[in-house]
Amino acid sequence: MTAAVDLFRAAAATLRDTPTEERYGRVVAARGALIEVDGLAGAAQIGSRIRISTGKGMIEAEVTGLDAGLAQCLPFSEAQGLAAGNHAVVAAGQFAVRPCDAWLGRMVDGLGRPVDGGGALASGNLARPIRANPPLAATRSRVGERVETGVRALDVFVPLCRGQRLGLFAGSGVGKSVLLSMLARWTKCDVAVIGLIGERGREVQEFVEDDLGPEGLARSVVVVATSDEPALMRRQAAWTTLAIAEHFRDQGLNVLCLMDSVTRFAMAQREIGLASGEPPATKGYTPTVFAELPRLLERAGPGAAGQGSITGLFTVLVDGDDHNEPVADAVRGILDGHVVITRKIAERGRYPAIDILKSVSRTLPHCHSAEENAIRLAARRILSTHGDMEEMVRLGAYKPGSSAEVDEAIRIAPDIEKLLTQGKGDRGYAGATFDTLAGLMEPAASMDAPPMGRAA
C-alpha cells in the first residue's frame, strides 16, 4: 500500500510540473534577416528563445521585437530552408552558459559551444545568464593596485590598475591587434577572457597560435564570432565574454577581459535595431546602441567584497580615423581611460603607435609614486614641447640656442621615442623604464610635480 501511495504522489508531482499547454506558432513572414512568427502572443517575450523547424533542420532564434501579436525574431545562423508555415515553439529558459575551469584553453562561440574541435565542454554547476546586469555601484570595491602590462608606453604614461576599464582607440591597420596580443601575453592576471567580435576568420587562428601562444591560451578562454556570422551572434558573443569573465571573478580571481572590438558590437546592435524597426539616429546608429554600451562595459570592473575583479581592455575601431565619431565618443565617456593609437606615429615607424599626449588614465596620479609622477610629467613636457616645435625644426625655421627648453626637448625626445618603441617579443618592465627615463633627463625629472590631488 505504501509503495502505491508513493507512486501516486510522484505521478501527481509530475503532473503539477508539466505545463498545461505548449504554445506553438508558425512563420508568417521573413523580411531580410527578420522572421515574423504568429501564434505566440502571451508566451513570447523580448529575449525569449525560439526554435523554428525547417526542411533543413532546426533554427534557433531570439525574440527582438513584438508587433500586434507577431513575434519578431532574428536567427543565430543562416535561415536556410525557412518557409511560411514552419512551426515555431518558445524554448524553456533564457540564454545561459555554465563555465568552469575546464573551459581554460578552449575556444567557444557566442552561445558557449566549442568551436576548436576539442570535443564537448564540461559544464559548471551554476547557469550564468549571458545578459546580466552590472553589479550595484554601492557593493563594488575600489580599483586596485597598478598592473604591469609589459608595454612601456602604457606602464609609464597610461597605467592600468586592477579592475580598471581602458579603451584602445585606433583606425584600421595601425597596430591595434598586435598591441592587444602583447597585452594578452604579458599583463599580470589569473585568467584571461578574450572576445574576438566580428574578426576576420583567417586572423582568429593566427591570434591564438602566434600571438597568444600555448602558454597564453592555457590561462584563457577565447570567445569567437567572426564577421560573417549574423548580427545576433556577434552581439551575443560580447555578452558571453563578460558572462564567462564574471564566473571567474566570482571565484575571487583577477580576470583580464580583452574585447576586440566594441565597435563591431555596436554595429551588430545597429543591425538588430534597424531590422526591428528602430529609427536611425547619429550616423545610422539606433538609440539602443547607446543604451547597450554602458550595460556591456559596466559589467567589467572591481567585484564586491570577497570577489575578484575584471580588468577590461576594449578596442574601438574609429571610423575614418575620427576619434570623435559617435561610438568612440560614447565609449570614451564610459571607460576609466583611453589609449589613442594614431596613424601619424605608425607611419614614422614607432610601434606601438600610442599618442602619449592624447591618452589618459583616470587612475593617475595616485597609482604612481611621487618620484614616478615627477619623471612622467617631465617626459610629457619634453614630448609636448618637441611636438609643438617639430614642424619648425624640420623646416629649419628654429635657430638652436633660442630656447633652452626647446633645445633640451630636441635632444631628449628622440631617445624617449626610442625607449617607447617595442616589438612583439620585446617585453618591458615598469621599474626599468622609469630608471631609463630618469637617466635620460635627470635635470627635467627634478622639477616639482603638481599637487597629488590633481591629474596631469
Side-chain angles (χ1 to χ4, degrees):
M1 185 68 180
T2 305
V5 171
D6 291 342
L7 184 62
F8 178 78
R9 287 175 177 169
T14 302
L15 286 173
R16 281 195 300 270
D17 294 338
T18 301
T20 57
E21 62 176 352
E22 190 168 30
R23 295 290 296 277
Y24 285 89
R26 62 186 182 89
V27 175
V28 295
R31 298 181 177 87
L34 190 70
I35 302 170
E36 293 187 345
V37 179
D38 192 15
L40 298 180
Q45 305 173 359
I46 297 295
S48 292
R49 301 167 61 189
I50 303 292
R51 290 197 174 100
I52 303 172
S53 300
T54 72
K56 294 189 177 181
M58 192 74 70
I59 294 175
E60 191 145 0
E62 179 180 324
V63 177
T64 58
L66 300 169
D67 182 17
L70 296 178
Q72 298 175 332
C73 310
L74 286 173
F76 284 96
S77 58
E78 292 297 325
Q80 295 294 329
L82 185 72
N86 285 155
H87 283 82
V89 63
V90 179
Q94 297 294 315
F95 291 101
V97 290
R98 292 178 175 270
C100 62
D101 291 348
W103 285 36
L104 295 174
R106 300 298 300 273
M107 295 169 59
V108 301
D109 68 4
L111 296 176
R113 303 174 300 196
V115 294
D116 55 2
L121 280 170
S123 295
N125 296 324
L126 178 65
R128 186 171 291 277
I130 287 177
R131 185 176 185 180
N133 292 322
L136 295 175
T139 65
R140 282 188 149 171
S141 304
R142 299 281 298 271
V143 170
E145 72 280 1
R146 187 176 75 200
V147 179
E148 285 210 23
T149 65
V151 179
R152 290 189 282 267
L154 296 184
D155 287 339
V156 173
F157 295 99
V158 199
L160 179 68
C161 290
R162 189 83 64 198
Q164 186 179 356
R165 300 161 305 165
L166 201 63
L168 307 178
F169 293 73
S172 58
V174 294
K176 170 173 51 64
S177 296
V178 175
L179 175 58
L180 201 70
S181 71
M182 295 163 70
L183 293 168
R185 280 182 286 129
W186 297 336
T187 304
K188 291 183 178 179
C189 65
D190 298 318
V191 172
V193 182
I194 303 168
L196 303 178
I197 315 301
E199 278 293 300
R200 303 173 187 89
R202 68 166 186 84
E203 291 185 347
V204 172
Q205 208 63 23
E206 292 177 7
F207 178 85
V208 171
E209 293 179 358
D210 300 339
D211 297 333
L212 196 57
E215 184 178 347
L217 181 61
R219 66 168 188 171
S220 305
V221 181
V222 182
V223 183
V224 180
T226 52
S227 59
D228 60 304
E229 297 195 49
L232 203 63
M233 185 63 87
R234 283 178 272 138
R235 183 187 71 173
Q236 206 83 347
W239 288 344
T240 299
T241 301
L242 268 301
I244 297 171
E246 288 165 343
H247 163 77
F248 290 107
R249 177 205 64 195
D250 292 350
Q251 291 185 339
L253 301 177
N254 293 313
V255 182
L256 175 68
C257 179
L258 304 177
M259 186 177 293
D260 186 16
S261 71
V262 172
T263 303
R264 294 190 179 107
F265 166 81
M267 289 178 175
Q269 182 61 48
R270 176 173 63 182
E271 289 182 44
I272 294 167
L274 291 174
S276 301
E278 273 193 83
T282 310
K283 285 200 172 182
Y285 288 102
T286 56
T288 52
V289 172
F290 303 102
E292 289 295 341
L293 282 172
R295 289 175 188 158
L296 175 76
L297 300 175
E298 285 288 348
R299 291 171 67 178
Q307 294 182 341
S309 63
I310 301 175
T311 304
L313 288 163
F314 303 94
T315 69
V316 179
L317 183 62
V318 295
D319 187 13
D321 286 346
D322 178 11
H323 288 263
N324 294 315
E325 57 94 17
V327 172
D329 201 40
V331 172
R332 190 165 46 242
I334 298 168
L335 298 180
D336 306 319
H338 55 272
V339 177
V340 177
I341 305 171
T342 62
R343 197 172 303 278
K344 180 179 178 182
I345 295 176
E347 286 171 349
R348 69 173 185 242
R350 198 257 278 171
Y351 291 97
I354 297 171
D355 191 326
I356 300 300
L357 302 177
K358 293 182 179 178
S359 301
V360 173
S361 173
R362 291 190 172 94
T363 58
L364 281 173
H366 306 289
C367 62
H368 283 340
S369 67
E371 182 182 0
E372 290 171 339
N373 273 312
I375 296 170
R376 174 182 63 86
L377 291 170
R380 279 182 64 95
R381 279 192 290 269
I382 287 171
L383 292 175
S384 178
T385 302
H386 185 264
D388 292 340
M389 300 298 296
E390 187 176 12
E391 193 65 25
M392 292 186 65
V393 172
R394 185 181 294 112
L395 295 173
Y398 174 74
K399 182 180 178 181
S402 301
S403 167
E405 185 179 4
V406 174
D407 290 342
E408 182 183 48
I410 294 171
R411 176 177 61 85
I412 297 176
D415 291 330
I416 297 177
E417 291 279 330
K418 185 177 179 180
L419 176 65
L420 300 182
T421 303
Q422 285 181 258
K424 288 173 65 173
D426 176 20
R427 177 172 183 168
Y429 295 90
T433 305
F434 275 114
D435 290 342
T436 304
L437 272 177
L440 288 176
M441 42 168 207
E442 193 163 356
S446 64
M447 299 174 65
D448 291 335
M452 293 300 289
R454 185 175 74 246

